[in-house]
Amino acid sequence: MQTFLARDGQPIAYHLIDEGAPQGEPAIVVPGGPCRGVEYLEDLAGVGARRPLVVLHPRGTPTTGGRSRGWWTDADDLVDLADHLGLGAVDVVAHSAGTRLALAARARTPERVRRLALVTPAAAWLTDAPRDGVELGRRRNDPEVDAALASLTREEPSDQAAFDRAREIEGPAGYAAWTDRERRHAALGEWRLDAVEAWFRDIPDDAAARVLQAPPRPSLVIAGDGDILVGVRTVEAYADALGAGLHWLARCGHYPWIETPAEFAGVLGDWLVAD
């Protein structure tokens, strides 16, 4: 792990995944959560063997610390990391909530974002498409998933203990299956309630409009057809609104490098090395 100084003087952590990839400009990875410990990304199914990846540790994650200024403003940290690495326009791989920061960077500084790969994106905020994640979950006919759905539709937790308990109960909703592998992965990456709350503060009322009005960039959405947390109709509308390509992973939830690693690595790896 290394650090750089953002323009406001905040030290920001990052690390490299290269897995012996040929030399070349890295793509920048923005984790989700929001503000979840980045170890949950593991090695992204080994796609660093195709092209070097630099993982940003956003404000509010345990390794960077501090507090988010809201994902809209924190988009500046992606640009500052690119500056630190001596990069101009960058390719960005973003997961879940991190896709908001990536799209904010495209809207705020379009000249610095070349292409976007948006993995199981947080989609509902960008369009008016009805959410269908609960429908997907109920089709599982699984008591643990039903408990997760009930937790997800309650009021947000008000303290860290309740937040931790909710994350534990909601774990099965993140995956299309709930085996030992998924259970172990769900436990990775510390989250703090106050960090999550800060991530969503001070967002412009017209953020969605500004994203949709931003200059288009070649984009690919990679999504799981069993992703309860995101849904299917919402992702279809999201990709359409962005003019993005859309690749569905069958029998996959919110973390494709865990559930469908070979197909995910092939799709994202091909995108990473495309001209």
Side-chain angles (χ1 to χ4, degrees):
M1 188 182 75
Q2 303 177 63
T3 61
F4 68 96
L5 290 181
R7 64 190 71 179
D8 65 347
Q10 168 71 39
I12 307 288
Y14 69 97
H15 75 273
L16 176 67
I17 302 176
D18 63 9
E19 303 291 337
Q23 289 188 347
E25 286 195 354
I28 293 179
V29 177
V30 184
C35 303
R36 183 177 179 179
V38 303
E39 59 267 30
Y40 89 95
L41 292 175
E42 298 188 348
D43 69 348
L44 285 177
V47 295
R50 305 285 299 278
R51 180 176 172 185
L53 303 175
V54 172
V55 181
L56 174 70
H57 297 206
R59 297 175 193 237
T61 56
T63 40
T64 285
R67 282 289 173 269
S68 170
R69 301 162 298 173
W71 54 265
W72 184 261
T73 302
D74 285 355
D76 289 344
D77 294 337
L78 189 158
V79 175
D80 290 348
L81 174 56
D83 286 343
H84 173 74
L85 297 170
L87 304 175
V90 296
D91 291 346
V92 180
V93 178
H95 175 242
S96 189
T99 60
R100 293 186 185 235
L101 188 153
L103 290 175
R106 189 197 71 166
R108 290 164 61 91
T109 53
E111 72 281 1
R112 302 303 301 274
V113 175
R114 185 173 64 175
R115 298 189 304 154
L116 289 164
L118 305 165
V119 180
T120 60
W125 70 281
L126 195 61
T127 76
D128 295 327
R131 300 176 182 233
D132 59 346
V134 171
E135 296 173 29
L136 291 177
R138 286 175 178 160
R139 291 177 201 154
R140 296 266 292 274
N141 195 28
D142 181 330
E144 288 187 294
V145 174
D146 292 341
L149 293 174
S151 180
L152 285 164
T153 52
R154 292 190 192 108
E155 287 188 11
E156 293 293 324
S158 58
D159 58 53
Q160 186 64 38
F163 180 78
D164 291 340
R165 179 58 180 153
R167 297 292 80 77
E168 181 180 347
I169 293 170
E170 293 163 12
Y175 308 87
W178 190 232
T179 71
D180 287 345
R181 173 69 171 111
E182 286 81 15
R183 291 172 188 268
R184 290 194 302 271
H185 179 258
L188 295 177
E190 179 186 346
W191 262 333
R192 296 290 306 174
L193 176 60
D194 52 1
V196 174
E197 291 174 338
W199 174 268
F200 289 105
R201 289 182 185 143
D202 301 321
I203 308 304
D205 292 339
D206 63 346
R210 290 167 68 177
V211 164
L212 294 175
Q213 293 164 5
R217 293 291 182 266
S219 300
L220 173 65
V221 173
I222 303 173
D225 68 359
D227 189 347
I228 295 169
L229 299 180
V230 171
V232 170
R233 289 195 300 263
T234 45
V235 171
E236 290 173 339
Y238 175 95
D240 183 64
L242 293 172
L246 176 56
H247 184 95
W248 287 108
L249 300 168
R251 296 175 297 282
C252 182
H254 201 57
Y255 304 98
W257 60 93
I258 301 300
E259 296 189 272
T260 55
E263 184 177 358
F264 172 74
V267 173
L268 181 57
D270 288 348
W271 180 88
L272 284 167
V273 299
D275 293 332

